[in-house]
Amino acid sequence: MVRGFRWLWMGMAVAGAVVALDGGSLAPLGGSPAQAQDGGTITLRSDVQEANAATGIITARGNVQIDYPSRRIQATSAQADYFSNEDRIVLSGNVVVTQEGNTLRAEVVTYLINEDRFVATPRPNDQVEAVYTLPEAEPPSVQDSGPSGSRPTPPKPPVVLDVSPVEGEPQPLTP
């Protein structure tokens, strides 16, 4: 049996359909997907969507848009296949995935939902492009500041090691 699929919406897999994927189940959203956005909901928009109850696979084609707010993921592609039994989404055709300011571009991107991991493959004779936004380093005065409202701690002078002989101690003999 396919994991908890509700197939009442099967007839809605026509142009412009919007479906929310929530932990392996499907629910039609009609015109207001924002109301159904909870911690585990992935919203899938496309021109055409097909669902196969026997295999547990949903295929979306044409202007595919994916929104996964709890993980701050947005994606676009020509096609998406959601494999509910494997918690895996395969995006293909000019794929662009954004997450927290980072961007991934490839011909095929597989998103392993349970692992929160992307695997990207380029077109032949091309490359995958990933653009990462690195956090800016805070100025030293902010990093070294104490509790709120206190002044920053001045930098400590470098430690200098004194290796001169101490008076009164026997010195090693040099040959």
Side-chain angles (χ1 to χ4, degrees):
M1 178 177 168
V2 177
R3 285 186 22 211
F5 270 98
R6 287 179 266 153
W7 293 101
L8 299 174
W9 72 277
M10 192 79 147
M12 293 185 64
V14 295
V18 177
V19 175
L21 310 175
D22 186 7
S25 63
L26 298 176
L29 294 179
S32 56
Q35 294 176 0
Q37 303 277 334
D38 64 2
T41 300
I42 299 172
T43 301
L44 174 63
R45 292 179 180 85
S46 66
D47 294 338
V48 176
Q49 294 183 18
E50 299 171 3
N52 186 323
T55 62
I57 299 172
I58 299 169
T59 299
R61 286 189 309 274
N63 301 309
V64 176
Q65 299 173 11
I66 294 178
D67 186 30
Y68 192 180
S70 67
R71 294 194 184 168
R72 298 182 182 130
I73 296 171
Q74 290 87 35
T76 59
S77 66
Q79 180 169 319
D81 295 299
Y82 172 58
F83 298 83
S84 64
N85 295 335
E86 302 166 26
D87 285 330
R88 168 174 69 103
I89 299 173
V90 177
L91 303 164
S92 58
N94 198 27
V95 180
V96 178
V97 179
T98 59
Q99 183 179 34
E100 296 182 7
N102 302 315
T103 305
L104 177 64
R105 295 177 193 273
E107 182 62 18
V108 178
V109 174
T110 301
Y111 178 53
L112 306 170
I113 298 170
N114 291 336
E115 298 176 32
D116 196 21
R117 183 168 66 104
F118 296 96
V119 178
T121 307
R123 291 183 190 144
N125 302 316
D126 205 353
Q127 293 182 311
V128 170
E129 177 184 277
V131 178
Y132 298 102
T133 304
L134 302 176
E136 291 185 30
E138 294 183 25
S141 62
V142 175
Q143 289 177 344
D144 296 335
S145 64
S148 296
S150 67
R151 295 183 161 232
T153 308
K156 295 181 181 179
V159 176
V160 178
L161 204 50
D162 184 9
V163 291
S164 59
V166 177
E167 291 182 32
E169 287 188 8
Q171 300 298 314
L173 298 174
T174 54

